[in-house]
Amino acid sequence: MTGANVSRFLDEKAVSQPDVPALLVPRGRQPDGSIDYLKLSFLELAAEQNEWARRLRAKGIGKGSRVLLMVKPGLPLIAICFALFKVGAVPVVIDPGMGLKSFLNCVRKSQPEFLVGISLAIWLSRVFRKAFRSLRGKIKVGGPLERVSDSFSEEAAESTATDDLAAVLFTSGSTGAPKGVSYEHGMFEAQVEAIRTQYSIKPGEVDLPMLPIFALFNPALGMTTVVPEINPSKPATVDPEKIVRAIQQCQVTNSFGSPALWAKIGSYCDLHDIELPSLNRILMAGAPVPPGMMKQYRRILPNGQVHSPYGATEVLPVSSVSDLEILQGAADRTAKGAGTCVGKILEGVEARILPVVDGVMDASFLNNPLGVGEIGEIVVTGPSVTKAYDGLPEATSLAKIEKGGRTWHRIGDLGYFDADGYLWFCGRKVERVLAGDAMFYTDCCEGVINAHPKVFRSALVARRKNGTVEPAMFVELFKDQYPASKDDEKALLAEMKELAARCQVTEAIKEFHLHKGFPVDVRHNAKIHRMTLAKELNGA
């Protein structure tokens, strides 16, 4: 299908709701302490998009051009990204917080032809010339408030098909090397429709996206984007007062963020007895959401709900679960070792549970899915499922199954379906622990220990000793719950062992260690780096 260019979403909103605010970017404080915003309507944002499109074309950027985008969250990020879509170019987006070495490796792999970025990005390209040697042009961009247009002027969009490459988005690399995921125009459109339908999002709503890439959905959904005051490379350093102020001042109705961010915001709201009545929904993703946090937000959101969408960079969304579904039964099962309920599969998406295989799977594996309650590998197909990793044929063959013209993605997660059709997440495949003949799954085991009132989170790892493997558990407590003495620590660890002994899933776990702060992913600051903890335990 032609005419599938996703830049049309912004063009359509510039016509249907030209005067509605499209973007609010913080630029300081008013005398009364309120946030001072640069405000742009949908028509003004479309004007910015079109002017950038003209500038990009003047620099030789057109259909198929690969463009490394290194811009801070704000006006230029959204305007330039849609301008790149409009001219048919392919933005390459790499997480800025993954560390310099990993970042430069991603640049080498993606082979961008152009760099559009801030001064620091231009400087990096000069210092690390080898990583950027594929470049043949650079465009310098200003800060989050930079405007390039003072009036609207039409600019034609490049004709693109649904299967034309639209962007390359890199995974966070939380359980392996980051990989570029190839997104087609039709996949973005499928994501937009799935999000709109699942969460009943209406034009005119106000969104505060605490992961910058999610702001790109808003022009298609007709939502106002409020840029949060947050460092995207260090999201856990967020000041909750600034987020709460933005929600209250802008009457935010929707927000996306990781559980780690919402934990800080929730604690602040509890401390100051704050409710957030404007919020219709909070989408928490990036890691399992603790049931206790969902219960906490039942008070904070008198008119809204917490939802936890499940998926991956390669396929999102797959399923979704609400706070009520968790609190009305699923949480109790999690505490008994059932894993984490991630909801029912979304309309248009199909998922199966297959026997666990570490190598390539061919189409024949799809013919023998596991039954209800059987733990296996989660594989998914649907209109938003990506077909390949950028320039990585071996990784693609390991992660994809082709059958009947459809691509199935192996998420790398283990789980099962219950008798009611709910999908349960048991943990990452690479993080399972095989000790003798017994298999231990991270989310199943950790759910039992996390039920202890002093536990913030726990992590199952493999203890390797004299050629054998035994399950072991690290435990991170809430900050004010750490023991004051060795005797108190010994008593607390004894409680953990007793808790584990009462559940069949964890009764074989005998080794427990307290930990002051787990290593986590840079994107969400929520996914635990269990492999790093295992190296710490085993002295590797």
Side-chain angles (χ1 to χ4, degrees):
M1 186 181 101
T2 57
N5 193 314
V6 292
S7 71
R8 77 182 190 282
F9 288 121
L10 180 52
D11 294 332
E12 289 168 356
K13 294 301 181 294
V15 174
S16 63
Q17 47 189 74
D19 300 321
V20 172
L23 186 62
L24 279 68
V25 188
R27 59 184 177 187
R29 288 294 185 273
Q30 300 280 8
D32 63 359
S34 61
I35 305 170
D36 178 32
Y37 285 104
L38 167 68
K39 299 180 181 180
L40 272 78
S41 68
F42 276 98
L43 184 64
E44 290 171 322
L45 182 57
E48 294 288 319
Q49 170 203 231
N50 289 348
E51 177 57 29
W52 273 114
R54 282 186 283 274
R55 294 186 180 195
L56 296 172
R57 281 171 166 154
K59 292 289 186 177
I61 298 174
K63 190 170 185 178
S65 299
R66 297 168 71 89
V67 181
L68 179 60
L69 191 56
M70 297 177 66
V71 182
K72 289 184 177 181
L75 169 56
L77 175 62
I78 297 176
I80 294 173
C81 203
F82 271 85
L84 289 168
F85 292 149
K86 175 160 274 195
V87 302
V90 180
V92 177
V93 182
I94 306 172
D95 199 313
M98 67 172 56
L100 182 60
K101 182 179 179 181
S102 293
F103 179 85
L104 293 175
N105 282 335
C106 291
V107 174
R108 289 189 195 96
K109 290 176 186 175
S110 59
Q111 293 286 294
E113 301 167 73
F114 296 89
L115 167 63
V116 176
I118 58 174
S119 297
L120 177 59
I122 304 296
W123 177 83
L124 280 173
S125 71
R126 292 169 180 160
V127 174
F128 300 99
R129 291 180 184 275
K130 286 186 178 180
F132 290 84
R133 62 186 174 188
S134 61
L135 293 180
R136 59 187 184 90
K138 304 174 187 179
I139 300 176
K140 184 178 176 182
V141 178
L145 302 170
E146 182 185 40
R147 297 191 66 171
V148 295
S149 174
D150 55 13
S151 63
F152 181 83
S153 179
E154 292 280 358
E155 182 71 14
E158 186 71 34
S159 178
T160 56
T162 55
D163 59 356
D164 280 345
L165 185 62
V168 174
L169 310 180
F170 273 80
T171 63
S172 62
S174 56
T175 54
K179 297 183 287 290
V181 180
S182 299
Y183 263 85
E184 299 170 359
H185 282 267
M187 294 168 186
F188 278 126
E189 186 154 358
Q191 283 185 316
V192 168
E193 193 52 43
I195 293 168
R196 186 202 320 274
T197 301
Q198 178 65 25
Y199 302 113
S200 301
I201 294 174
K202 303 290 192 297
E205 289 202 41
V206 181
D207 182 45
L208 183 82
M210 289 191 284
L211 186 63
I213 197 72
F214 270 77
L216 299 180
F217 290 116
N218 290 341
L221 295 165
M223 283 202 290
T224 299
T225 298
V226 179
V227 177
E229 295 178 295
I230 186 172
N231 182 346
S233 64
K234 297 179 180 178
T237 62
V238 64
D239 181 347
E241 186 276 334
K242 292 180 178 179
I243 300 301
V244 169
R245 182 182 289 270
I247 291 170
Q248 293 174 327
Q249 182 176 327
C250 300
Q251 291 294 286
V252 169
T253 63
N254 183 82
S255 188
F256 175 94
S258 78
L261 299 181
W262 290 111
K264 292 188 73 171
I265 297 163
S267 295
Y268 178 84
C269 289
D270 283 349
L271 181 64
H272 298 281
D273 195 27
I274 292 172
E275 291 184 352
L276 300 172
S278 69
L279 278 169
N280 296 331
R281 69 191 76 77
I282 292 176
L283 306 182
M284 297 188 188
V289 182
M293 189 184 301
M294 287 192 166
K295 185 176 181 180
Q296 175 187 32
Y297 272 88
R298 293 297 297 166
R299 180 199 71 79
I300 298 171
L301 305 182
N303 303 316
Q305 275 190 290
V306 169
H307 299 268
S308 183
Y310 168 72
T313 306
E314 299 91 338
V315 48
L316 182 75
V318 171
S319 65
S320 185
V321 68
S322 70
D323 51 12
L324 288 179
E325 289 173 304
I326 294 296
L327 299 174
Q328 291 175 353
D332 292 338
R333 293 168 65 181
T334 294
K336 295 175 182 176
T340 301
C341 180
V342 293
K344 291 196 172 182
I345 301 300
L346 270 57
E347 185 178 348
V349 178
E350 185 179 350
R352 294 181 190 174
I353 308 298
L354 303 183
V356 178
V357 173
D358 289 322
V360 173
M361 281 186 177
D362 61 33
S364 66
F365 282 87
L366 294 169
N367 299 329
N368 299 294
L370 298 179
V372 170
E374 293 185 278
I375 297 175
E377 189 172 342
I378 303 170
V379 299
V380 181
T381 190
S384 67
V385 172
T386 54
K387 299 172 184 174
Y389 292 112
D390 183 52
L392 297 171
E394 290 185 7
T396 297
S397 66
L398 278 170
K400 308 295 180 181
I401 306 171
E402 300 294 334
K403 184 178 182 182
R406 290 200 296 173
T407 301
W408 291 74
H409 178 68
R410 301 169 65 184
I411 296 182
D413 291 345
L414 302 176
Y416 63 92
F417 282 108
D418 68 14
D420 296 316
Y422 282 91
L423 179 62
W424 289 74
F425 170 75
C426 297
R428 295 288 290 169
K429 183 173 69 173
V430 297
E431 293 174 340
R432 71 195 191 278
V433 175
L434 176 61
D437 295 329
M439 187 70 74
F440 297 84
Y441 304 103
T442 56
D443 257 56
C444 297
C445 296
E446 292 162 10
V448 176
I449 306 305
N450 292 346
H452 191 289
K454 292 186 178 181
V455 174
F456 172 49
R457 56 190 170 188
S458 58
L460 174 77
V461 298
R463 159 69 84 181
R464 304 184 187 279
K465 186 163 48 179
N466 300 324
T468 64
V469 175
E470 296 293 336
M473 190 74 78
F474 278 106
V475 180
E476 184 179 343
L477 306 177
F478 289 104
K479 293 190 182 298
D480 60 349
Q481 297 295 334
Y482 280 88
S485 67
K486 284 292 183 182
D487 287 341
D488 289 344
E489 180 177 334
K490 187 176 179 181
L492 181 59
L493 290 176
E495 289 180 22
M496 302 294 171
K497 293 175 184 177
E498 182 182 348
L499 180 61
R502 293 201 297 265
C503 181
Q504 184 178 1
V505 169
T506 52
E507 61 184 358
I509 303 176
K510 308 298 182 184
E511 184 177 348
F512 288 81
H513 302 274
L514 295 185
H515 199 286
K516 286 293 180 73
F518 289 167
V520 293
D521 70 298
V522 296
R523 178 171 297 171
H524 300 290
N525 284 173
K527 292 178 182 174
I528 301 166
H529 281 304
R530 294 175 182 84
M531 293 177 179
T532 302
L533 289 172
K535 289 179 181 178
E536 183 179 320
L537 180 65
N538 293 298

